[in-house]
Coordinates of all heavy atoms in Angstrom, one line a residue:
V341 N -10.7 13.6 -14.3 CA -9.8 14.3 -13.5 C -9.1 15.4 -14.3 O -8.9 16.6 -13.9 CB -8.7 13.4 -12.9 CG1 -7.6 14.2 -12.2 CG2 -9.4 12.4 -11.9
A342 N -8.8 15.1 -15.6 CA -8.1 16.1 -16.5 C -9.0 17.3 -16.7 O -8.6 18.5 -16.6 CB -7.8 15.5 -17.8
A343 N -10.3 17.1 -16.9 CA -11.3 18.2 -17.1 C -11.4 19.0 -15.8 O -11.5 20.3 -15.9 CB -12.6 17.7 -17.5
L344 N -11.4 18.4 -14.7 CA -11.5 19.1 -13.4 C -10.2 19.9 -13.2 O -10.3 21.1 -12.8 CB -11.7 18.1 -12.3 CG -12.0 18.6 -10.9 CD1 -13.2 19.6 -10.9 CD2 -12.2 17.5 -9.9
I345 N -9.1 19.4 -13.5 CA -7.8 20.2 -13.3 C -7.8 21.4 -14.3 O -7.4 22.5 -13.9 CB -6.6 19.3 -13.6 CG1 -6.4 18.3 -12.4 CG2 -5.3 20.1 -13.8 CD1 -5.4 17.2 -12.6
A346 N -8.4 21.2 -15.5 CA -8.5 22.3 -16.4 C -9.4 23.4 -15.9 O -9.1 24.6 -16.0 CB -9.0 21.8 -17.8
D347 N -10.5 23.0 -15.2 CA -11.4 24.0 -14.6 C -10.7 24.7 -13.5 O -10.8 25.9 -13.3 CB -12.6 23.3 -14.1 CG -13.6 22.8 -15.1 OD1 -13.4 23.2 -16.3 OD2 -14.4 22.0 -14.8
I348 N -9.9 24.0 -12.7 CA -9.2 24.6 -11.6 C -8.2 25.6 -12.1 O -8.0 26.7 -11.6 CB -8.5 23.5 -10.7 CG1 -9.5 22.7 -10.0 CG2 -7.5 24.2 -9.7 CD1 -9.0 21.4 -9.4
D349 N -7.5 25.2 -13.2 CA -6.5 26.1 -13.8 C -7.1 27.4 -14.3 O -6.6 28.5 -14.1 CB -5.8 25.3 -14.9 CG -4.6 26.1 -15.5 OD1 -3.7 26.6 -14.7 OD2 -4.6 26.3 -16.7
R350 N -8.3 27.2 -15.0 CA -9.0 28.4 -15.5 C -9.4 29.3 -14.4 O -9.3 30.6 -14.5 CB -10.2 28.0 -16.3 CG -9.9 27.7 -17.8 CD -11.2 27.6 -18.6 NE -12.0 26.4 -18.2 CZ -11.8 25.2 -18.5 NH1 -10.8 24.9 -19.3 NH2 -12.6 24.2 -18.1
A351 N -9.9 28.8 -13.3 CA -10.4 29.6 -12.1 C -9.2 30.3 -11.5 O -9.4 31.5 -11.1 CB -11.0 28.7 -11.1
R352 N -8.0 29.7 -11.4 CA -6.9 30.4 -10.8 C -6.4 31.5 -11.7 O -5.7 32.5 -11.2 CB -5.8 29.5 -10.4 CG -4.9 29.0 -11.5 CD -3.9 28.0 -11.0 NE -3.1 27.5 -12.1 CZ -1.8 27.8 -12.3 NH1 -1.2 28.6 -11.4 NH2 -1.2 27.4 -13.3
G353 N -6.7 31.5 -13.0 CA -6.3 32.5 -13.9 C -7.0 33.9 -13.6 O -6.5 34.9 -14.0
D354 N -8.1 33.8 -12.9 CA -8.9 35.0 -12.5 C -8.3 35.7 -11.3 O -8.7 36.8 -10.9 CB -10.3 34.7 -12.3 CG -11.0 34.2 -13.5 OD1 -10.6 34.6 -14.7 OD2 -12.0 33.5 -13.4
D355 N -7.3 35.0 -10.6 CA -6.8 35.5 -9.4 C -5.3 35.9 -9.6 O -4.5 35.1 -9.8 CB -6.9 34.4 -8.3 CG -6.3 34.8 -7.0 OD1 -5.8 36.0 -6.8 OD2 -6.3 34.0 -6.1
P356 N -5.0 37.2 -9.5 CA -3.6 37.7 -9.8 C -2.6 37.1 -8.7 O -1.4 37.0 -9.0 CB -3.7 39.2 -9.7 CG -4.9 39.5 -9.0 CD -5.9 38.3 -9.2
G357 N -3.1 36.7 -7.6 CA -2.2 36.1 -6.6 C -2.3 34.6 -6.5 O -1.9 34.0 -5.5
A358 N -2.8 34.0 -7.6 CA -3.0 32.6 -7.6 C -1.7 31.8 -7.4 O -0.6 32.2 -7.9 CB -3.6 32.2 -9.0
P359 N -1.8 30.7 -6.7 CA -0.6 29.9 -6.4 C -0.4 29.0 -7.7 O -1.1 29.1 -8.7 CB -1.1 29.0 -5.3 CG -2.6 28.9 -5.4 CD -3.0 30.3 -6.0
N360 N 0.7 28.2 -7.6 CA 0.9 27.3 -8.7 C -0.2 26.3 -8.8 O -1.1 26.2 -7.9 CB 2.3 26.6 -8.5 CG 2.4 25.7 -7.3 OD1 1.5 25.0 -7.0 ND2 3.4 25.9 -6.6
L361 N -0.3 25.5 -9.9 CA -1.4 24.6 -10.1 C -1.5 23.6 -9.0 O -2.6 23.3 -8.6 CB -1.2 24.0 -11.5 CG -2.4 23.1 -11.9 CD1 -3.7 23.8 -11.9 CD2 -2.1 22.5 -13.3
S362 N -0.4 23.0 -8.6 CA -0.5 22.0 -7.5 C -1.1 22.5 -6.3 O -2.0 21.9 -5.6 CB 0.9 21.4 -7.2 OG 1.4 20.7 -8.3
S363 N -0.7 23.7 -5.9 CA -1.3 24.4 -4.7 C -2.8 24.7 -4.9 O -3.6 24.5 -4.0 CB -0.6 25.7 -4.4 OG 0.7 25.4 -4.0
A364 N -3.1 25.2 -6.1 CA -4.5 25.5 -6.4 C -5.4 24.2 -6.3 O -6.5 24.2 -5.8 CB -4.7 26.1 -7.8
I365 N -4.9 23.1 -6.8 CA -5.6 21.8 -6.7 C -5.8 21.4 -5.2 O -6.9 21.0 -4.8 CB -4.9 20.7 -7.5 CG1 -4.9 21.0 -9.0 CG2 -5.5 19.3 -7.2 CD1 -4.0 20.1 -9.8
R366 N -4.8 21.5 -4.4 CA -4.9 21.2 -3.0 C -6.0 22.0 -2.3 O -6.8 21.5 -1.6 CB -3.6 21.3 -2.3 CG -2.6 20.3 -2.6 CD -1.3 20.5 -1.8 NE -0.2 19.6 -2.2 CZ 0.7 19.9 -3.1 NH1 0.8 21.1 -3.6 NH2 1.7 19.1 -3.4
V367 N -6.0 23.3 -2.6 CA -7.0 24.2 -1.9 C -8.4 23.8 -2.5 O -9.3 23.8 -1.7 CB -6.6 25.7 -2.2 CG1 -7.8 26.6 -1.8 CG2 -5.4 26.1 -1.5
F368 N -8.5 23.5 -3.7 CA -9.7 23.1 -4.3 C -10.3 21.9 -3.6 O -11.4 21.8 -3.2 CB -9.6 22.9 -5.8 CG -10.8 22.3 -6.4 CD1 -11.9 23.1 -6.9 CD2 -11.0 20.9 -6.6 CE1 -13.0 22.6 -7.4 CE2 -12.1 20.4 -7.1 CZ -13.1 21.2 -7.6
V369 N -9.4 20.9 -3.5 CA -9.8 19.6 -2.8 C -10.3 19.9 -1.4 O -11.3 19.4 -1.0 CB -8.7 18.6 -2.9 CG1 -9.0 17.4 -1.9 CG2 -8.5 18.1 -4.3
L370 N -9.5 20.7 -0.7 CA -9.9 21.0 0.7 C -11.2 21.7 0.8 O -11.9 21.5 1.8 CB -8.8 21.8 1.4 CG -7.5 21.0 1.7 CD1 -6.4 22.0 2.2 CD2 -7.7 19.9 2.7

Side-chain angles (χ1 to χ4, degrees):
V341 170
L344 188 54
I345 290 173
D347 290 345
I348 294 166
D349 186 54
R350 274 191 296 279
R352 78 184 179 108
D354 296 335
D355 180 1
N360 64 46
L361 183 55
S362 293
S363 294
I365 292 169
R366 286 184 188 96
V367 170
F368 173 86
V369 167
L370 289 173

